[in-house]
Amino acid sequence: YGDPISQMDFPNIPSKEGHYGKWEEFNTENIIFDAHIQAEYIPYLTVLESKQKRNNALAMVLVEGKFTDQDVLTIVKNNQPGPSLPERFAQLEQWEIIIPQDGNHVHTIRYLPPVKSKNLGVYVLSQGEWLKIGSRWDGKYLIFESSGDKVVFNIVDMGNPYGKYVIFLGISFILILLIIAYINHNQK
């Protein structure tokens, strides 16, 4: 009587599919009367967005899952040296995402890169190595899936995979034409 009560003293709220439970707000100090406190069921948030924005407009990272209104998505630019990426690719950005635990082992991540190019690739750090993972575009976002609640990923510009070959063939073709022209000129 007259003592404060903490959230720890409340019973667990029974689970409800697609929702999380939360006790309604009330003054927990100096309780001197009986009170009837209701539990509220709130639908899970299915997407969390980062506070960081591109061009002060769109969130840089969106993560799909089952989150509460208390959950916060944390992203940090990660410039720590790590294992080497394949040399032929240009690294654009490296980020670390900390995803609140929501019971899902795999999350869909939507990343808004600084440039849109069909040649962008995603590498995720896994057990000390960079692994190339599949990605696809949806509007302005590059979408990929990753496991765990802490994800370190690199966005790379893979360029045109056939670019070097096209340049080599073009130079070879020009050299052959020059040799033929030289031979024809000397035979006259």
Side-chain angles (χ1 to χ4, degrees):
Y1 181 84
D3 290 334
I5 188 170
S6 81
Q7 292 282 347
M8 299 295 286
D9 297 326
F10 292 141
N12 289 333
I13 299 172
S15 61
K16 180 178 176 183
E17 182 69 30
H19 295 74
Y20 64 97
K22 184 175 169 181
W23 291 106
E24 70 181 337
E25 298 289 324
F26 74 100
N27 184 359
T28 59
E29 299 297 316
N30 196 22
I31 304 295
I32 56 173
F33 55 88
D34 287 341
H36 185 73
I37 311 303
Q38 296 284 333
E40 302 174 274
Y41 286 104
I42 302 165
Y44 282 112
L45 300 172
T46 56
V47 175
L48 277 185
E49 69 177 48
S50 65
K51 293 186 188 323
Q52 293 86 339
K53 309 281 185 208
R54 281 268 190 237
N55 303 323
N56 296 321
L58 297 174
M60 282 182 48
V61 175
L62 302 168
V63 175
E64 296 178 14
K66 293 189 324 187
F67 304 107
T68 71
D69 61 356
Q70 301 298 308
D71 289 332
V72 176
L73 177 65
T74 304
I75 69 168
V76 179
K77 191 152 185 113
N78 187 326
N79 294 324
Q80 296 180 6
S84 298
L85 286 164
E87 290 180 18
R88 63 187 181 271
F89 301 143
Q91 177 183 340
L92 295 180
E93 292 186 316
Q94 181 175 310
W95 292 94
E96 179 177 328
I97 303 174
I98 301 170
I99 303 168
Q101 291 185 358
D102 68 341
N104 291 331
H105 182 65
V106 175
H107 291 94
T108 299
I109 299 169
R110 297 171 178 268
Y111 169 73
L112 181 62
V115 296
K116 185 167 182 177
S117 167
K118 63 181 177 183
N119 297 323
L120 295 185
V122 180
Y123 281 79
V124 172
L125 190 60
S126 177
Q127 298 178 350
E129 293 185 31
W130 291 112
L131 298 177
K132 183 172 185 335
I133 59 172
S135 61
R136 63 181 171 81
W137 285 98
D138 185 8
K140 295 182 179 185
Y141 285 90
L142 188 60
I143 301 173
F144 60 95
E145 290 188 351
S146 188
S147 60
D149 297 329
K150 180 179 175 184
V151 179
V152 177
F153 68 95
N154 243 308
I155 301 298
V156 297
D157 186 351
M158 298 185 304
N160 183 348
Y162 303 108
K164 293 178 183 177
Y165 299 114
V166 170
I167 292 170
F168 175 75
L169 290 173
I171 291 172
S172 298
F173 182 71
I174 291 171
L175 285 174
I176 290 171
L177 288 177
L178 288 174
I179 292 170
I180 291 171
Y182 177 76
I183 292 172
N184 284 340
H185 183 272
N186 285 339
Q187 287 180 352
K188 292 183 180 178

